[in-house]
Coordinates of all heavy atoms in Angstrom, one line a residue:
M97 N 42.3 12.9 -83.0 CA 42.4 13.7 -81.9 C 42.9 13.0 -80.6 O 42.3 13.2 -79.5 CB 41.1 14.4 -81.6 CG 41.1 15.8 -81.2 SD 39.5 16.4 -80.6 CE 38.6 16.5 -82.2
G129 N 45.5 20.3 -85.9 CA 46.8 20.6 -85.3 C 47.0 20.1 -83.9 O 46.0 20.0 -83.2
H130 N 48.2 19.7 -83.7 CA 48.5 19.2 -82.3 C 49.8 19.8 -81.8 O 50.7 20.1 -82.6 CB 48.7 17.7 -82.3 CG 47.6 16.9 -82.8 ND1 46.3 17.1 -82.3 CD2 47.5 15.9 -83.7 CE1 45.5 16.2 -82.9 NE2 46.1 15.5 -83.7
N131 N 49.8 20.1 -80.5 CA 51.0 20.5 -79.8 C 51.1 19.8 -78.5 O 50.1 19.1 -78.1 CB 51.1 22.0 -79.6 CG 49.9 22.6 -78.8 OD1 49.2 21.8 -78.1 ND2 49.8 23.9 -78.8
C194 N 47.2 19.1 -75.6 CA 47.2 19.8 -76.8 C 46.2 21.0 -76.7 O 45.1 20.8 -76.3 CB 46.7 18.9 -78.0 SG 46.4 19.8 -79.5
F196 N 45.2 23.1 -79.1 CA 44.4 23.4 -80.2 C 42.9 23.4 -79.8 O 42.5 22.5 -79.0 CB 44.6 22.3 -81.3 CG 44.0 22.6 -82.6 CD1 44.7 23.3 -83.6 CD2 42.7 22.3 -82.9 CE1 44.2 23.5 -84.9 CE2 42.1 22.5 -84.1 CZ 42.8 23.2 -85.1
H199 N 40.6 20.4 -78.4 CA 41.4 19.1 -78.3 C 41.7 18.7 -76.9 O 42.0 17.6 -76.6 CB 42.7 19.2 -79.1 CG 42.5 19.1 -80.6 ND1 43.5 18.8 -81.5 CD2 41.4 19.3 -81.3 CE1 43.0 18.8 -82.7 NE2 41.7 19.2 -82.6
M203 N 42.9 15.2 -75.5 CA 44.3 15.2 -75.6 C 45.0 15.7 -74.4 O 45.5 16.9 -74.4 CB 44.8 15.9 -76.9 CG 44.1 15.3 -78.2 SD 44.8 16.0 -79.7 CE 46.4 15.2 -79.8
Ligands
CO24 CO1 45.5 18.5 -81.0

Side-chain angles (χ1 to χ4, degrees):
M97 220 189 287
H130 300 312
N131 61 13
C194 172
F196 188 93
H199 287 198
M203 302 189 75

